[in-house]
């Protein structure tokens, strides 16, 4: 067995689970192996929203291993003949302290990292990484950028992304770097929206997540963006909210809601997949000919999925009658699960999966890059 490095970082934020270890793994050319973790899901309901390729939900902070090392983190039980294996140790989240103790007793290297303001420091006070305004964990200090005047909103309290589930904010940051450096951020809590939530906002991103209490607010934001021509993009739950907002424009569907969020609703915009399937892991999505999504992703692409519900088939044509098309399909042949929607006019696009999990610094996901570019273009046109 090769070198094993234990990286101890005291944090109670699931968004930083494995972050310090990922910095060490990137510097040492190693791979991250994570010990069994436990989270307070009442406090942090989205602490396990990262999707493993093979189909499992794992700690949300393990996105940093993907982003910093280019290799997905593996469970500690799979530790084998790795030249350099790096193991994150967060006392607040350890479910099996004995596993780490055994590695220490067997001679594993032991390092301590702390986060002070926006810098990760080793035991000698040396800077080994930074954290920027998008919550991204970076191996180099982020460059200062002058404000651009563009204002982008992300639906959710800032703590949701900095403390619990970092991928949506990090991916938005990747796209901003590519298309609109210096854009300002605004966080809109869907559970407590102001009277005019999109006043002064040039674009809004609706993220995914497991909190059904956010659905009503997300739908309200989707309706406001559609009415005002504000570019909007949706990820998983965000796409479902956008679809439901349009469905409510249809006769007989005015009170529709998602079955997951409102089981007692008379009509459901999103229903359980009929086979009982849980789409979890990497899946192929097929973009429709002539769609904007096909221009962005090509005919077929992979996307990380985490959902048991699908757009009600009866709404495919209904949404189209309101100018919103199903722009990608997934599932088995003939199953035709709506994987994405887009409006024929303006920028109103969402994907059922999680494109944010595929974003990287310098390589933002095409959907998010297109969203930021359109928000910047629309803002320039409005202010001209």
């Amino acid at each position: 067995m090769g070198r094993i490095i234990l990286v101890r970082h005291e944090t109670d934020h699931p968004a930083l689970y494995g972050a310090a270890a990922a910095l060490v793994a990137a510097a040492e050319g190693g791979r991250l192996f994570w010990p069994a973790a436990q989270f307070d899901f009442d406090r942090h309901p989205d602490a396990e929203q990262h999707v493993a390729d093979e189909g499992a939900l794992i700690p949300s902070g393990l996105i940093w291993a993907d982003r910093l090392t280019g290799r997905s983190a593996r469970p500690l039980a799979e530790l084998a003949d790795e030249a350099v294996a790096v193991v994150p140790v967060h006392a607040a989240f350890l479910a099996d302290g004995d596993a780490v103790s055994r590695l220490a007793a067997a001679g594993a290297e032991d390092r301590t990292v702390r986060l002070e303001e926006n810098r990760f420091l080793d035991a000698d006070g040396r800077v080994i990484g930074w954290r920027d305004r998008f919550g991204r964990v970076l191996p180099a200090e982020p460059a200062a950028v002058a404000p651009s005047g563009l204002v982008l909103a992300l639906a959710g309290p800032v703590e949701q992304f900095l403390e619990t589930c970092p991928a949506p904010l990090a991916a938005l940051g990747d796209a901003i770097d590519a298309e609109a450096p210096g854009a300002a951020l605004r966080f809109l809590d869907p559970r407590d929206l102001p009277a005019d939530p999109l006043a002064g906002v040039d674009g809004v991103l609706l993220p995914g997540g497991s909190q059904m209490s956010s659905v009503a607010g997300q739908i309200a934001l989707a309706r406001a963006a559609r009415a005002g021509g504000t570019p909007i993009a949706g990820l998983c739950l965000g796409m479902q909210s956008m679809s439901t907002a349009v469905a409510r424009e249809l006769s007989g569907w005015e009170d529709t809601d998602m079955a997951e969020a409102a089981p007692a609703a008379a009509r459901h915009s999103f229903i359980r997949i009929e086979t009982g399937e849980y789409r979890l892991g990497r899946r192929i999505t097929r973009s429709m000919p002539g769609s904007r999504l096909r221009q962005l992703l090509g005919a077929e692409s992979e996307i990380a999925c985490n959902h048991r519900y699908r757009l009600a088939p009866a709404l495919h044509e209904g949404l189209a009658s309101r100018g919103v098309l199903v722009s990608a399909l997934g599932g088995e042949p003939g199953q035709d699960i709506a994987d994405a929607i887009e409006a024929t006019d303006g920028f109103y696009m969402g994907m059922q999966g999680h494109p944010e999990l595929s974003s990287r610094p310098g390589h933002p996901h095409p959907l998010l890059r297109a969203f930021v570019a359109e928000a910047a273009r629309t803002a320039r046109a409005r202010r001209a």
Side-chain angles (χ1 to χ4, degrees):
M1 185 174 290
R3 293 170 61 203
I4 299 176
I5 305 173
L6 305 179
V7 178
R8 302 182 186 273
H9 175 209
E10 293 305 316
T11 179
D12 61 356
H13 291 172
L16 292 175
Y17 181 84
L23 284 166
V24 172
E28 297 283 354
R31 186 167 195 170
L32 193 149
F33 291 83
W34 55 282
Q38 56 186 1
F39 300 100
D40 180 350
F41 292 110
D42 289 332
R43 180 183 175 194
H44 298 295
D46 290 332
E48 287 189 352
Q49 290 294 310
H50 190 40
V51 178
D53 290 348
E54 69 275 13
L57 283 181
I58 59 178
S60 298
L62 292 178
I63 186 68
W64 305 122
D66 297 47
R67 290 173 63 94
L68 290 167
T69 73
R71 304 173 71 189
S72 58
R74 304 304 306 163
L76 184 58
E78 296 182 11
L79 179 61
D81 295 328
E82 193 75 28
V84 180
V86 182
V87 180
V89 182
H90 304 290
F93 305 130
L94 267 181
D96 180 9
D98 289 343
V100 172
S101 297
R102 287 192 293 270
L103 292 176
E109 300 175 35
D110 206 318
R111 302 187 190 180
T112 299
V113 174
R114 66 185 187 275
L115 178 62
E116 290 188 1
E117 296 183 346
N118 63 340
R119 301 182 303 164
F120 289 87
L121 307 175
D122 67 12
D124 296 320
R126 292 183 293 252
V127 180
I128 67 167
W130 282 260
R131 200 179 192 203
D132 71 0
R133 69 190 182 106
F134 303 110
R136 293 179 299 185
V137 177
L138 304 169
E141 185 174 9
V145 180
S148 68
L150 188 72
V151 179
L152 298 175
L154 181 55
V158 63
E159 296 83 8
Q160 176 179 341
F161 309 105
L162 293 182
E163 297 181 4
T164 302
C165 190
L169 177 57
L172 180 58
D174 297 338
I176 287 173
D177 282 352
E179 293 293 338
L185 291 176
R186 185 175 300 176
F187 296 91
L188 295 171
D189 189 339
R191 299 163 298 183
D192 186 23
L193 292 174
D196 187 2
L198 297 185
V201 169
D202 299 306
V204 58
L205 177 64
L206 305 183
S210 62
Q211 298 184 63
M212 294 300 106
S213 60
S214 296
V215 168
Q218 282 206 359
I219 292 172
L221 288 170
R223 296 182 73 171
R226 183 164 160 81
T230 302
I232 182 171
L235 315 173
C236 198
L237 185 68
M239 175 269 203
Q240 295 179 26
S241 297
M242 292 169 65
S243 301
T244 302
V246 179
R248 289 182 178 178
E249 299 175 10
L250 300 170
S251 177
W253 291 83
E254 293 87 352
D255 296 327
T256 190
D257 213 323
M258 307 173 196
E260 186 176 12
R267 302 192 75 169
H268 289 134
S269 54
F270 279 77
I271 61 174
R272 284 296 298 262
I273 297 174
E274 295 85 348
T275 60
E277 176 189 0
Y278 182 3
R279 295 182 79 208
L280 181 59
R282 293 281 170 178
R283 297 288 188 272
I284 296 294
T285 185
R286 306 181 298 277
S287 303
M288 302 300 290
S291 67
R292 187 171 188 171
L293 194 68
R294 177 167 284 207
Q295 297 174 17
L296 296 175
L297 301 182
E300 287 191 351
S301 59
E302 275 194 341
I303 191 165
C305 289
N306 171 24
H307 64 103
R308 300 179 176 88
Y309 294 80
R310 63 175 294 177
L311 178 66
L315 283 174
H316 287 218
E317 291 187 6
L319 297 189
S321 73
R322 302 300 301 168
V324 175
L325 308 177
V326 172
S327 55
L329 296 172
E332 298 300 322
Q335 198 173 17
D336 291 342
I337 293 173
D339 269 351
I341 60 165
E342 63 181 62
T344 54
D345 292 315
F347 195 100
Y348 193 90
M349 295 185 70
M351 294 194 76
Q352 175 69 85
H354 289 274
E356 72 275 15
L357 297 182
S358 301
S359 184
R360 301 289 181 268
H363 298 281
H365 189 276
L367 171 64
L368 294 171
R369 183 168 190 165
F371 158 67
V372 173
E374 183 64 18
R377 187 198 67 77
T378 302
R380 287 193 298 269
R382 286 176 173 174
R383 294 163 187 165

